[in-house]
Amino acid sequence: MVSNTNSEQTEVSKSDARVTGPAELTVVLPTYNESKNVPIVVELLDKALAGVAWEVIVVDDNSPDGTSQVTADIAQKDPRVRIIQRIGRRGLSGACIEGMLASSSKYVAVMDADLQHDESLLPKMLEALRSQNFDICVASRHVEGGDVGTGLSSVRAWGSNLANNLARKFLKVELSDPMSGFFMLRRDRFVELAPRLSSQGFKIMLDIVASGKGALRVKELPFVFRERQHGESKLDTLVTMDYLGLLVSKLFNDTISVRFLMYSMVGGTGVVVHLIALKILLALFGLPFGVAQLIATFVAMSSNFFLNNRLTYRDRRLKGLAWVKGLFTFYVICSFGILANVGVAELIYTNKPIWWFAGAAGAIMGAVWNYIVSNALTWRK
Ligand code: GDD
Ligand code: MN
């Protein structure tokens, strides 16, 4: 034990390039299951940032592979390393925001922890902010000298292209690589914009630049996207929904939250599910309208619960026992909604027996109720 402590101390004093004193640059590393990569990244940062007073904040969403503990072990030997372990929350943007807010440095950078981002670019990014007076420096794969390399599959590359065009068209953001997750900016600028940023989704850089509304001086530097060495990507197709939500939210000048938009989108699918179920129950099973409407409501509610849990509330996603409890409370809470739904639908149907109109009116009634109550209770913070 004693000899172990001694050897750790020798290890610390060995590194002479280390600059002591308060950090000028904080590198935020969002992580989910990156226990194999974090030690390598820290070593690479140490080399790349020789002569700079830097620190790294790993923001880990309680990864099952023990990334938090691996980071804590490194931090025991290296005080430049810090860990924020978040429990019960998931999400790339939220993790980045939290990490940047935990910094007191003049500059903050965000970088993937999976070795896909080239850390040797950091000193150049720092220089652009320090002496060229830029507010934010974005590492781009689409300027001269940059490349998506082999890090993106062709489908992802195509999707990335489409998302780029949408951002340019709708957000009027002049970035060659709006999807880039590798950037550095002045912390004071970030703090100014932070209240307007969405913690959902994964497009934090785009959100920052779009929220800055052209007031930010942006510098782009080329980099080559590297291939992931260990572990796997966490960005599934569902995150593109977050992206669309962000686009629309920004278009409406932040007056509509991304979450509400997502909830509405899910609500929209719920109406379709409801009508399909209703049609099947009426036409195929010949059930009386009231009964068919009741069953269709449960089908739509269940589908809404699954989708909202996967999408709208993916950062508060319920799992295991909490999931079962959540579904149960969702049903109980919304039973009042169902009463309103069936009541309204039947009332309309008896006056005007148009199945789709009555069904949709009831479903919308239930959806509004569901949003208010489930946001406060089922997925409460
Ligand atoms: N804390 C936290 N929480 N970290 C996360 C989460 C999360 O829910 N999801 C992903 N991360 C971390 C990963 O551990 C990794 O360090 C980094 O965020 C990027 O995640 P990947 O899963 O490797 O994303 P990718 O390689 O598919 O996407 C990257 O490239 C895209 C452009 O093609 C990211 O940089 C995206 O931001 C970028 O748009
Ligand atoms: Mn990656």
Side-chain angles (χ1 to χ4, degrees):
M1 197 61 210
V2 173
S3 67
N4 189 12
T5 316
N6 279 344
S7 73
E8 280 166 14
Q9 274 168 358
T10 339
E11 218 175 281
V12 170
S13 51
K14 246 189 330 203
S15 163
D16 26 289
R18 191 172 298 185
V19 183
T20 47
E24 181 190 14
L25 170 68
T26 300
V27 180
V28 174
L29 297 179
T31 59
Y32 194 75
N33 285 344
E34 307 286 3
S35 63
K36 285 215 177 91
N37 291 319
V38 169
I40 308 173
V41 178
V42 173
E43 227 166 83
L44 291 174
L45 287 176
D46 186 50
K47 290 201 185 85
L49 291 169
V52 176
W54 62 276
E55 64 172 359
V56 60
I57 299 181
V58 173
V59 189
D60 182 57
D61 290 353
N62 207 25
S63 305
D65 79 341
T67 306
S68 288
Q69 189 53 48
V70 167
T71 310
D73 290 343
I74 304 173
Q76 276 295 305
K77 301 182 198 155
D78 188 340
R80 298 173 301 184
V81 179
R82 286 161 61 193
I83 169 80
I84 296 178
Q85 183 173 3
R86 309 198 305 167
I87 294 180
R89 273 177 298 161
R90 269 299 300 277
L92 184 46
S93 286
C96 296
I97 291 172
E98 228 167 294
M100 287 189 272
L101 287 175
S103 154
S104 51
S105 310
K106 184 156 185 204
Y107 305 107
V108 285
V110 170
M111 203 175 110
D112 287 357
D114 59 0
L115 310 172
Q116 292 197 273
H117 289 162
D118 181 359
E119 69 294 330
S120 69
L121 197 65
L122 288 166
K124 288 174 213 147
M125 296 167 99
L126 186 60
E127 216 29 55
L129 302 187
R130 264 184 189 160
S131 47
Q132 295 168 34
N133 217 17
F134 285 102
D135 295 307
I136 180 166
C137 182
V138 180
S140 166
R141 294 163 291 186
H142 303 299
V143 286
E144 180 85 36
D147 203 332
V148 289
T150 45
L152 275 188
S153 66
S154 56
V155 178
R156 277 285 299 265
W158 179 84
S160 179
N161 228 356
L162 180 72
N164 283 356
N165 291 335
L166 286 174
R168 268 187 228 130
K169 217 181 172 101
F170 291 109
L171 299 182
K172 309 265 179 300
V173 168
E174 276 313 315
L175 286 168
S176 66
D177 193 357
M179 298 299 113
S180 173
F182 186 17
F183 59 96
M184 188 189 289
L185 81 162
R186 287 173 51 156
R187 193 180 57 86
D188 55 356
R189 292 281 177 277
F190 168 74
V191 171
E192 277 163 27
L193 296 171
R196 310 185 42 190
L197 303 176
S198 163
S199 62
Q200 274 195 288
F202 62 112
K203 294 306 164 205
I204 178 67
M205 189 279 294
L206 179 60
D207 197 0
I208 290 172
V209 174
S211 301
K213 293 208 168 50
L216 293 178
R217 295 199 49 199
V218 186
K219 168 83 175 172
E220 292 186 306
L221 286 176
F223 90 107
V224 178
F225 200 50
R226 294 194 294 225
E227 208 163 329
R228 192 182 246 279
Q229 302 293 329
H230 304 282
E232 53 191 33
S233 168
K234 282 101 213 169
L235 302 187
D236 50 25
T237 40
L238 279 180
V239 295
T240 51
M241 297 285 276
D242 283 317
Y243 177 62
L244 292 180
L246 179 69
L247 279 184
V248 180
S249 175
K250 289 291 155 202
L251 273 182
F252 283 100
N253 238 333
D254 294 310
T255 46
I256 305 175
S257 77
V258 177
R259 195 175 314 271
F260 180 73
L261 280 165
M262 303 262 276
Y263 203 98
S264 308
M265 277 195 271
V266 170
T269 67
V271 174
V272 175
V273 168
H274 183 100
L275 293 181
I276 292 172
L278 186 62
K279 178 74 187 161
I280 290 173
L281 293 167
L282 289 176
L284 254 60
F285 295 91
L287 293 179
F289 184 80
V291 179
Q293 171 74 356
L294 185 69
I295 298 174
T297 303
F298 264 100
V299 173
M301 259 188 10
S302 310
S303 136
N304 279 4
F305 179 81
F306 294 133
L307 286 175
N308 277 321
N309 199 45
R310 278 292 280 149
L311 206 66
T312 319
Y313 295 97
R314 55 190 285 138
D315 54 332
R316 304 182 203 163
R317 193 183 300 167
L318 305 171
K319 283 187 198 139
L321 205 64
W323 185 92
V324 179
K325 252 176 83 181
L327 181 64
F328 184 70
T329 54
F330 191 73
Y331 283 151
V332 173
I333 291 161
C334 299
S335 50
F336 290 100
I338 297 168
L339 286 183
N341 176 336
V342 179
V344 167
E346 263 204 309
L347 192 74
I348 294 176
Y349 191 73
T350 39
N351 288 319
K352 247 191 187 106
I354 310 172
W355 68 272
W356 61 267
F357 182 70
I364 287 167
M365 182 74 204
V368 172
W369 175 273
N370 280 4
Y371 177 68
I372 296 165
V373 186
S374 64
N375 190 54
L377 293 171
T378 309
W379 287 284
R380 71 170 179 271
K381 271 198 203 167

